[in-house]
Amino acid sequence: MDFQGVGASLLRKEDDRFLRGRGQYVGDLKLPGLKDVAFVRSPLAHAKIRGVRIPPEFQDRVFTASDLTDVKPIVAASGLPGFKHSEQPLLAHEKVRQVGELVAMCIGGTRAEAEDIAGAVELDLDELPVVSEMLTARRPGAPLVHDHWGDNVFLETYIDVNMEAAYDAPIKVTREIRTARQCMAPLEGRATVAYWDKRLDQLVLYTGTQQPHIIRTGISECLGLDQSKVRVISPDVGGGFGYKALMPPEDVCLAWLAMHCGHPVRWIEDRREHLTASANCREHHYVITAYADRDGTLRGIECEATVDSGAYSSYPFSACLEAAQIASILPGPYDFPSYRCRTWSVATNKCPILPYRGVARTGVCYAMELMVDAVAREAGLDPLEVRLKNLVKPEQMPFDNITKKHFDSGDYPEALKRAMARIDLDAIRKQQENTHRLIGIGLSIYCEQGAHGTSVYSGWGIPMIPGHEQATARVTPDGGLELRIGVHSHGQSMETTLPQIAHEILGIETPKIKLVHGDTEYTPYSTGTWGSRSAVMAGGAVSRASQEIAGLIKGIGAHLLQTDVANVRLEDGCVIGPSGSVTVKEVAHTWYRRPQDLPASVDPRGLETTIGYKPVRDSGTFSYAAHIAVVAVDPEMGDIEILDYVIVEDGGKLINPMVVDGQIYGGLAQGIGTALYEEMPFDPSAQPLASTFADYLLPGPTEVPAPQVEHMETLSPYTEFGVKGLGEGGAIAPPAAIGNAVNDALKSLGVELLCCPMTPRRVLEAIHRAKGTRSVRCT
């Protein structure tokens, strides 16, 4: 048998249907009597609603907040002290707080008809003062997004560890750093189909989500239904990245409509809705100071960080997750004795933010890594030398850092050294002297806490706290295996990798292992797929369930071999005893088809089990990677070209190295987008200015180089097989590596860019201003 277990680079089972056009997405569903829904959305960012005028001929096809009297608003609270709650109505009443907020719901025989009806509805709005900029929103006297708060701050957090001890450091560098607001851009936008199953007396909701069980919980709470009356099905999902990890008001609206209209209803998000109305991410502002000795040793970091959280707190992660995480993860993989960080989660008249792939880490890595390079320049040292001096060492593992993050394992210096070994630094320095384009090299390194569990999220107090992740394993009558999991795959190749784990233990060939997921009716409860947790948590549950199934198989197999169970082993899909063997298929046939051949003492569970799993410590695994970018900057055009890119990553034991490569490549593309292209701008009236992909730029094949990728495998001591979560890693480090490379290229001009995306306009503006200042504020 070919090697199919943990560590094998198997081809993805999913690709057979995807590449043949046989995937099934929400938009592919065709149900009898299906009608389409379009929404009337606010054209203003802040206004009182004086009235909604519906043409008489459409009175029975348009629904407003006055119709949804029995529906509760969406509330995503946090238990962190001082958090201010927001209530997001399903359809706005009294006032709107963002462009694109839902005001009315229209139903038609086709989407075009529904949109025509929506276009005939007139809104009478009384415009209110707008707050469109997060720093302005923090100031006294700013217009209030939620009047009863008294200010615009969802939450303020503060950490202080011995900061005064760093103030006498000989090196002190301060920078103002900013990242732009972005849109997540999965290939498939949001989509929902809902109907009421009269036979089962149950609401059925098809929706592209990363969290079917969490969506069921949220919809049940909003509609006042028992959860047994709500079934959520998430079929194939064309990318998530966090964008599909929330309960949008559209889902609840369609669920309500399906309960009242007597036929299936559908809403398919168009790209303009996606870009301008739904959810954004990553708008950070830092004022950060690094204190260091002349030899580059970091003494401390002091930071004030602000995050634009938009108008509402998104269910289930809340509005505080991004900013509050900054304070705990800003130190990254560095070891220093003094730290202070204050953060603000700020409400503005923009759409809410969500945790996008990397969840705050991309911003903090960008800020921290730019500061390390700034310290190196001030000390006259090589940036690599400063990093090696301050990184957590392998002999310190496991390590509790200054914010009490528990690093499980790793060798950060080794990752940097291996990455540098792949770069011809001498040749790059010669190029810097002899080319009309400006050449630069930049480093970055990060660590990513993934698969963190109950002890971490119970402190957040949000509506979703992970517990034991469960998996069901069932041997089928023909000797195959069925796995049922609560997490959801939207590109992570779970239909391939989780069967590899089961095969490692049971020896059943992976083509005979079926994965069932994405349906709350048939799968164990789970908080879903987020935070680089699925391989660790669901993989661990599959491993434990497979181990238990192995014991059940051996029990029946030993009886068939007429020997004691202690004398048999399970290998390559066979129970092998002292004088013979039986296949798993024969064992299954006996249990299902010939129970008369079983002993009276047979385990009544048969060949099926459900088991839960948590790692030995649920403080999370810490994957990491060193990234190096080599860029060329055209000082006449402002254009930036990536000449070379190196990634040395450590995700513990790799279940499928080829799948990991795909995760890294995809993340890199998104990180390049953050660094150079992607930005959702707003004007002073909080109108979004990028409503199509002609305005919102994404990197394409010509902008994403083929990286050099090398894998390290430092096993986690706390997980099955030593795996670590790494799904977000590729997207975290590129903006910092590219930013440092651009600054290295521009240093001869006295230019330092401290914002992303680093667009040609910003590069040229920085060059033109270089005579008067060394740094440029992001505008």
Side-chain angles (χ1 to χ4, degrees):
M1 182 185 297
D2 294 335
F3 178 45
Q4 301 176 26
V6 173
S9 289
L10 294 187
L11 294 176
R12 293 185 356 136
K13 295 169 69 173
E14 299 91 328
D15 286 343
D16 182 68
R17 71 174 185 277
F18 290 148
L19 295 176
R20 297 174 188 272
R22 296 172 182 167
Q24 185 181 69
Y25 302 88
V26 174
D28 295 322
L29 298 174
K30 308 295 183 186
L31 300 177
L34 180 70
K35 294 187 182 299
D36 281 285
V37 170
F39 290 96
V40 178
R41 298 178 180 270
S42 172
L44 300 178
H46 201 197
K48 290 182 179 179
I49 301 175
R50 293 193 296 195
V52 179
R53 287 192 283 271
I54 304 169
E57 65 270 27
F58 299 137
Q59 287 289 334
D60 60 343
R61 300 169 72 179
V62 179
F63 304 87
T64 65
S66 62
D67 298 301
L68 276 65
T69 56
D70 53 345
V71 181
K72 295 178 181 179
I74 295 172
V75 177
S78 168
L80 293 174
F83 180 81
K84 298 187 184 75
H85 294 212
S86 65
E87 291 189 348
Q88 182 176 11
L90 283 308
L91 296 174
H93 61 92
E94 296 182 357
K95 68 186 295 189
V96 293
R97 295 180 174 88
Q98 65 165 92
V99 170
E101 185 165 0
L102 308 184
V103 181
M105 172 170 51
C106 307
I107 189 168
T110 64
R111 173 64 182 249
E113 183 182 356
E115 288 182 349
D116 286 344
I117 296 171
V121 175
E122 297 180 4
L123 301 182
D124 185 2
L125 303 177
D126 186 7
E127 191 165 7
L128 295 170
V130 168
V131 58
S132 63
E133 215 290 321
M134 59 183 167
L135 299 183
T136 302
R138 276 179 45 197
R139 296 173 187 161
L144 296 178
V145 179
H146 300 279
D147 297 329
H148 62 286
W149 286 8
D151 62 17
N152 289 312
V153 178
F154 277 103
L155 181 71
E156 180 179 341
T157 69
Y158 182 66
I159 291 178
D160 189 346
V161 183
N162 194 35
M163 193 64 231
E164 287 75 11
Y167 287 157
D168 63 347
I171 291 177
K172 174 185 175 182
V173 292
T174 299
R175 298 291 188 270
E176 183 178 359
I177 297 170
R178 188 154 190 166
T179 62
R181 184 172 264 247
Q182 289 181 240
C183 287
M184 303 81 125
L187 286 174
E188 179 199 27
R190 292 196 183 115
T192 304
V193 169
Y195 70 94
W196 188 266
D197 188 319
K198 297 177 182 177
R199 182 178 69 85
L200 297 178
D201 194 30
Q202 186 181 49
L203 172 69
V204 179
L205 191 82
Y206 288 88
T207 184
T209 179
Q210 300 170 216
Q211 303 173 295
H213 293 272
I214 296 299
I215 297 300
R216 181 180 67 171
T217 297
I219 286 178
S220 299
E221 291 173 353
C222 286
L223 298 180
L225 295 172
D226 292 340
Q227 292 200 35
S228 62
K229 286 187 173 292
V230 180
R231 177 183 179 188
V232 174
I233 303 170
S234 186
D236 289 329
V237 175
F241 313 126
Y243 186 63
K244 311 281 179 64
L246 88 160
M247 182 178 71
E250 291 89 349
D251 274 6
V252 190
C253 284
L254 262 75
W256 179 89
L257 188 58
M259 294 170 62
H260 291 79
C261 70
H263 55 74
V265 289
R266 175 178 62 185
W267 170 69
I268 305 293
E269 179 184 65
D270 66 31
R271 196 57 72 172
R272 189 180 296 272
E273 288 177 302
H274 161 235
L275 288 171
T276 63
S278 292
N280 294 162
C281 58
R282 284 190 180 163
E283 188 171 6
H284 294 195
H285 176 273
Y286 301 85
V287 176
I288 184 169
T289 300
Y291 300 86
D293 292 326
R294 282 291 168 194
D295 66 354
T297 300
L298 285 175
R299 295 271 296 276
I301 296 290
E302 192 169 24
C303 179
E304 290 189 348
T306 305
V307 173
D308 189 328
S309 297
Y312 295 106
S313 182
S314 295
Y315 186 97
F317 287 101
S318 86
C320 67
L321 191 66
E322 189 91 356
Q325 277 203 115
I326 288 174
S328 64
I329 65 177
L330 182 62
Y334 296 105
D335 184 12
F336 49 83
S338 299
Y339 181 58
R340 178 180 292 157
C341 187
R342 190 184 300 272
T343 74
W344 292 268
S345 305
V346 177
T348 63
N349 292 118
K350 300 176 185 174
C351 58
I353 67 160
L354 287 176
Y356 179 39
R357 192 177 193 176
V359 195
R361 292 164 183 81
T362 303
V364 301
C365 177
Y366 183 68
M368 191 68 188
E369 292 297 292
L370 261 60
M371 292 307 294
V372 173
D373 266 33
V375 167
R377 285 192 294 274
E378 186 70 20
L381 299 171
D382 185 276
L384 174 63
E385 180 182 349
V386 174
R387 286 176 172 80
L388 294 176
K389 185 178 289 292
N390 291 287
L391 288 170
V392 177
K393 306 298 189 292
E395 58 269 20
Q396 295 176 270
M397 298 292 182
F399 175 75
D400 292 331
N401 81 345
I402 198 166
T403 62
K404 308 303 181 186
K405 294 293 184 184
H406 183 76
F407 294 14
D408 51 349
S409 64
D411 191 339
Y412 301 110
E414 177 65 15
L416 263 179
K417 292 173 185 175
R418 290 194 189 187
M420 283 302 299
R422 288 176 167 264
I423 293 290
D424 189 342
L425 186 59
D426 291 339
I428 293 170
R429 294 306 183 201
K430 288 180 181 178
Q431 278 185 297
Q432 289 180 319
E433 299 172 0
N434 300 321
T435 181
H436 71 282
R437 293 198 298 175
L438 305 176
I439 307 298
I441 179 172
L443 287 68
S444 68
I445 190 168
Y446 71 91
C447 60
E448 180 200 359
Q449 182 184 18
H452 28 330
T454 306
S455 64
V456 176
Y457 273 82
S458 60
W460 291 95
I462 60 177
M464 178 202 74
I465 301 172
H468 282 82
E469 188 71 31
Q470 291 185 313
T472 296
R474 174 193 297 161
V475 178
T476 60
D478 59 358
L481 185 70
E482 184 181 273
L483 299 172
R484 296 175 182 262
I485 59 168
V487 298
H488 193 278
S489 184
H490 43 274
Q492 297 91 337
S493 312
M494 292 181 199
E495 293 173 41
T496 302
T497 57
L498 295 184
Q500 287 183 249
I501 291 173
H503 170 82
E504 180 77 15
I505 296 163
L506 298 172
I508 298 173
E509 295 191 34
T510 55
K512 297 184 66 176
I513 302 175
K514 176 185 178 182
L515 189 73
V516 177
H517 66 296
D519 190 335
T520 59
E521 195 84 347
Y522 300 120
T523 60
Y525 184 89
S526 171
T527 56
T529 299
W530 50 273
S532 295
R533 68 187 302 270
S534 296
V536 174
M537 302 300 292
V542 166
S543 174
R544 294 291 175 86
S546 297
Q547 292 170 37
E548 195 153 313
I549 288 290
L552 298 172
I553 290 172
K554 287 193 290 185
I556 296 174
H559 171 74
L560 296 178
L561 293 171
Q562 299 182 9
T563 187
D564 190 86
V565 70
N567 298 327
V568 301
R569 68 185 189 277
L570 182 60
E571 187 176 297
D572 291 339
C574 294
V575 180
I576 301 172
S579 57
S581 66
V582 292
T583 64
V584 170
K585 182 176 182 179
E586 291 171 307
V587 170
H589 181 78
T590 302
W591 169 257
Y592 289 106
R593 306 292 297 279
R594 296 191 58 83
Q596 68 270 26
D597 293 342
L598 297 170
S601 61
V602 68
D603 193 316
R605 292 175 298 170
L607 298 174
E608 180 172 350
T609 189
T610 298
I611 195 165
Y613 170 78
K614 277 186 179 181
V616 175
R617 290 184 62 122
D618 71 353
S619 53
T621 63
F622 281 76
S623 58
Y624 58 95
H627 288 224
I628 299 180
V630 180
V631 305
V633 182
D634 187 330
E636 302 296 326
M637 300 293 292
D639 184 60
I640 299 168
E641 180 185 356
I642 301 173
L643 303 178
D644 198 4
Y645 205 96
V646 175
I647 302 172
V648 176
E649 67 82 31
D650 188 343
K653 182 63 179 178
L654 304 184
I655 298 171
N656 184 318
M658 183 177 63
V659 165
V660 171
D661 283 345
Q663 292 287 301
I664 298 299
Y665 295 159
L668 171 62
Q670 289 176 306
I672 290 172
T674 299
L676 300 178
Y677 303 104
E678 297 185 49
E679 181 173 13
M680 173 50 72
F682 287 77
D683 71 11
S685 61
Q687 289 288 334
L689 299 179
S691 60
T692 71
F693 282 149
D695 303 306
Y696 188 86
L697 302 182
L698 294 170
T702 59
E703 288 80 41
V704 180
Q708 303 181 58
V709 178
E710 181 177 337
H711 299 296
M712 294 171 56
E713 286 190 334
T714 307
L715 304 186
S716 172
Y718 305 134
T719 66
E720 295 287 287
F721 308 107
V723 300
K724 300 180 181 181
L726 54 73
E728 300 167 272
I732 293 171
I738 295 167
N740 281 330
V742 169
N743 287 336
D744 184 51
L746 296 175
K747 64 184 178 183
S748 63
L749 302 179
V751 170
E752 182 183 27
L753 281 171
L754 300 172
C755 53
C756 62
M758 292 163 280
T759 61
R761 177 179 66 83
R762 290 192 174 114
V763 171
L764 292 177
E765 286 179 350
I767 292 173
H768 294 158
R769 295 176 188 172
K771 292 181 180 180
T773 181
R774 290 184 57 81
S775 62
V776 177
R777 179 177 297 177
C778 196
T779 57

